Amino acid sequence: MTSSDDRGWLRALPADGGRDALFSRAGHRVYGPRRLSELVQGRPPGVTGSQWGSASRTAFDLVVCAPDTHRPLVAVTIGPVPLPGSAEQRAERLTDAVGAAVGLPMLRVGSPTLRAAEHGRRLIEYVLDARAYAAGGTGDEPAPVGFRDILGRLPDGRTGPVNDLGALARAAAVEAYVAGQLADPIVRGLHVRWIEGPAQGWSWVQPRLDSCLVERVSITAQRFSCGVDEARLAEDLATVAVGERLRAGRSDGADLLARADLTVEIAELSRRRDELVGAFAFDHLCVD
């Protein structure tokens, strides 16, 4: 619990004993859209009236409350990333300032395809399970195998990582290949984490040998741990988005990216490795 939380800035939700919760997971109640003003008790010090007036109207898609205090464990948004310089981006920055002032944990998933209504519950259940697993180590020792790397039986009968959110999308890609909708059955991807920015994951398939269906997802976690590496989670969610487009029959058209152009973008990313957390592990993808 943060010092701001100790001062009582975050509200306990709700007054009705949780009857309007969308669902629960391991004692955590999860609520639908809530404005920032519904989560914070008044304007905190250091936040101007103008900042508060703008930020307080910001709506989060989902709010997860802690089992013991019923205060927000994390406020979640899922959807497109605001354009640089847009009013939406300015509102996001004001929300960040207020969130930092009151210690509100926030999780943003930026994607042109994923939405809270369709994908929010699975994401939250996954993150809560991953956090519980990560907290289950002995003393200061972490769990011997990461949550994402636990092996088991996959939907297609193979043995593999059962906590790969993209497993169904990978199976869908194989089915699309068999049906002649893809030139290659393999879902490829990469993930990075920017020193001064979010974690990012890319995922793609090839409807034709010279073109790619590409999805990109960003994750920004503030004062919150997802229980797994956020960059790998972003790549898995990008794979989920690829699967959504395959199921919707959107594997061709003007929004495809030439394979050569994707290779150029990956090479440009590799040249910015000094801006990344950790090593860039995808040089093998820089060659078309």
Side-chain angles (χ1 to χ4, degrees):
M1 193 177 296
T2 67
S3 57
S4 293
D5 200 0
D6 289 339
R7 292 200 303 269
W9 290 115
L10 301 183
R11 298 179 186 272
L13 296 181
D16 68 354
R19 288 189 296 274
D20 67 340
L22 297 178
F23 62 94
S24 296
R25 185 75 164 192
H28 299 79
R29 290 171 179 161
V30 182
Y31 298 90
R34 291 290 191 279
R35 295 188 304 277
L36 182 65
S37 59
E38 297 178 86
L39 309 180
V40 178
Q41 303 188 87
R43 175 165 63 93
V47 177
T48 69
S50 175
Q51 288 175 324
W52 174 247
S54 297
S56 64
R57 295 190 293 272
T58 298
F60 298 98
D61 294 317
L62 298 160
V63 178
V64 183
C65 288
D68 50 353
T69 66
H70 305 296
R71 293 178 180 177
L73 176 71
V74 64
V76 182
T77 56
I78 304 174
V81 175
L83 295 174
S86 65
E88 291 79 9
Q89 186 187 60
R90 291 192 293 273
E92 190 174 272
R93 288 175 176 171
L94 286 174
T95 303
D96 288 348
V98 174
V102 301
L104 175 65
M106 293 187 290
L107 176 63
R108 288 198 186 95
V109 176
S111 167
T113 300
L114 304 180
R115 294 294 183 272
E118 293 83 15
H119 310 102
R121 177 166 185 162
R122 181 70 187 98
L123 171 63
I124 287 175
E125 291 177 340
Y126 183 90
V127 167
L128 291 178
D129 290 350
R131 284 168 57 90
Y133 179 83
T138 303
D140 295 330
E141 294 296 324
V145 177
F147 183 76
R148 171 63 172 77
D149 298 316
I150 297 173
L151 298 179
R153 189 176 181 84
L154 298 177
D156 60 3
R158 295 180 298 111
T159 297
V162 293
N163 293 320
D164 172 12
L165 284 171
L168 292 178
R170 299 181 205 282
V174 173
E175 294 175 0
Y177 172 74
V178 171
Q181 299 167 0
L182 294 179
D184 189 314
I186 300 175
V187 181
R188 294 175 171 83
L190 62 80
H191 57 268
V192 297
R193 183 166 184 166
W194 299 98
I195 295 174
E196 299 293 337
Q200 286 187 332
W202 301 9
S203 185
W204 62 90
V205 292
Q206 293 179 234
R208 298 186 295 271
L209 290 177
D210 62 350
S211 64
C212 300
L213 183 162
V214 184
E215 284 285 332
R216 296 178 173 91
V217 169
S218 65
I219 291 181
T220 303
Q222 298 170 325
R223 298 166 295 280
F224 182 75
S225 169
C226 293
V228 293
D229 179 78
E230 290 157 18
R232 290 187 72 190
L233 177 58
E235 182 181 338
D236 285 347
L237 288 174
T239 302
V240 172
V242 166
E244 288 295 315
R245 290 178 63 181
L246 289 176
R247 280 187 286 275
R250 294 160 53 200
S251 59
D252 54 13
D255 57 348
L256 296 182
L257 184 64
R259 179 178 172 182
D261 291 342
L262 177 61
T263 302
V264 168
E265 291 188 16
I266 298 172
E268 290 175 349
L269 189 63
S270 74
R271 287 191 286 271
R272 298 178 63 188
R273 66 185 69 217
D274 290 345
E275 302 172 50
L276 302 175
V277 176
F280 182 76
F282 304 96
D283 286 312
H284 62 286
L285 297 174
C286 295
V287 180
D288 193 2

